[in-house]
Amino acid sequence: PIPYYEGTFEVLTEGKKHLKKSFITDREGNVQLKFNLPEKLASADVLLNIKLNYNSFQESISRSVPVTLNQIEILFFPEGGSLINGKETFIAFKALNEFQQPVDIKAEIVNEKGGKISETESAKFGMGKFSFLPIHNQKFFLKLTSHKISKLYQIPEGKDEGISLNVNKKNGKIGLKIQSQNHQKVIVEAAFRGEITETKEDVPTNTEIEFDENIFPSGIARFTVFDVSKNPLAERVVFVNKDRNVQISIKPNKTEY
């Protein structure tokens, strides 16, 4: 560290000089640089150049400045099938910036009048989920609170027909919650790597059923809901037995090589 020493820094946006200022380090040799970017910034191409003269030598360093423009796309993914009016479910989301890279967000779920319903935030890589209750003829929106963006992102509207499929894993059991507005009988198939593991028939909707997780190896299991004519209505993939380790034993045919 170099205490009480002068240097300069300049900021470039889109390859053009935006500003240039001087600074002095503190007694520990540290300095905090602060600057404002242009109000209208069309690119995230921002570069910070720092120069410091010391003992007749010029030290310089350049770093890209992380910038998120007010251009965020939100993708919605209802869990396991359709959004059914009057049936609470989960919606996963993914937030992307203008370069289709993930960006973490915080947001509120609001109704058409701007009333707050709930809060949510991304857990990692711009992805997260929230509980949602669609209502007939009502619109709901996701409103960002972590970014200065006035845009409201409309959540997909619910349907009066279809199947909603939710999955919950607990104590070695895989619970499936099957919801619909009209009560009907369905068929539920559990499959692993293209092969059917177990089938449950005459399952009434608006009920919950369970599968034993131990019937699957470690990997991706697929649960599909069919109507009585075997037309697929909803589907969900679940990672099962992730803690089950593969045991490999190696025995050489020689003691020395």
Side-chain angles (χ1 to χ4, degrees), residues 21-139:
K21 291 185 177 182
S22 59
F23 64 85
I24 300 177
T25 61
D26 60 19
R27 63 181 180 180
E28 281 81 30
N30 300 320
V31 64
Q32 186 177 48
L33 304 178
K34 295 183 178 181
F35 54 89
N36 294 323
L37 294 173
E39 291 186 5
K40 295 183 179 180
L41 191 62
S43 170
D45 180 17
V46 179
L47 187 67
L48 173 65
N49 292 328
I50 301 173
K51 294 181 181 180
L52 187 69
N53 293 316
Y54 181 70
N55 289 344
S56 300
F57 292 97
Q58 186 179 78
E59 297 288 340
S60 62
I61 187 172
S62 296
R63 290 289 185 270
S64 294
V65 179
V67 174
T68 298
L69 302 179
N70 289 339
Q71 300 174 19
I72 294 180
E73 178 185 10
I74 307 293
L75 305 176
F76 296 102
F77 307 96
E79 182 185 4
S82 303
L83 290 175
I84 308 300
N85 289 323
K87 303 295 181 180
E88 190 170 7
T89 186
F90 285 99
I91 297 181
F93 66 85
K94 186 174 185 179
L96 302 171
N97 63 16
E98 63 275 13
F99 304 107
Q100 296 299 294
Q101 297 172 335
V103 55
D104 286 323
I105 63 166
K106 293 183 179 181
E108 295 177 348
I109 309 303
V110 299
N111 57 25
E112 293 176 277
K113 296 181 180 180
K116 177 180 171 182
I117 306 298
S118 63
E119 297 178 350
T120 186
E121 63 181 289
S122 54
K124 194 174 184 180
F125 303 129
M127 296 183 291
K129 69 176 183 178
F130 56 91
S131 178
F132 180 66
L133 176 64
I135 301 176
H136 182 71
N137 283 338
Q138 291 192 29
K139 295 181 180 180

Side-chain angles (χ1 to χ4, degrees), residues 174-215:
I174 302 172
L176 272 63
K177 186 177 182 180
I178 306 167
Q179 300 184 94
S180 68
Q181 281 204 350
N182 299 320
H183 292 274
Q184 55 183 300
K185 293 292 183 69
V186 296
I187 302 168
V188 182
E189 281 187 357
F192 191 89
R193 295 176 183 170
E195 296 186 3
I196 298 174
T197 306
E198 186 177 347
T199 301
K200 295 182 184 292
E201 298 184 352
D202 294 326
V203 177
T205 57
N206 300 311
T207 188
E208 296 186 32
I209 60 174
E210 287 186 343
F211 289 87
D212 193 335
E213 189 173 6
N214 289 328
I215 67 174

Side-chain angles (χ1 to χ4, degrees), residues 219-239:
I220 303 296
R222 185 182 301 272
F223 299 90
T224 308
V225 179
F226 300 90
D227 63 18
V228 292
S229 299
K230 289 289 287 186
N231 297 308
L233 302 175
E235 191 169 71
R236 184 76 155 78
V237 293
V238 182
F239 198 89

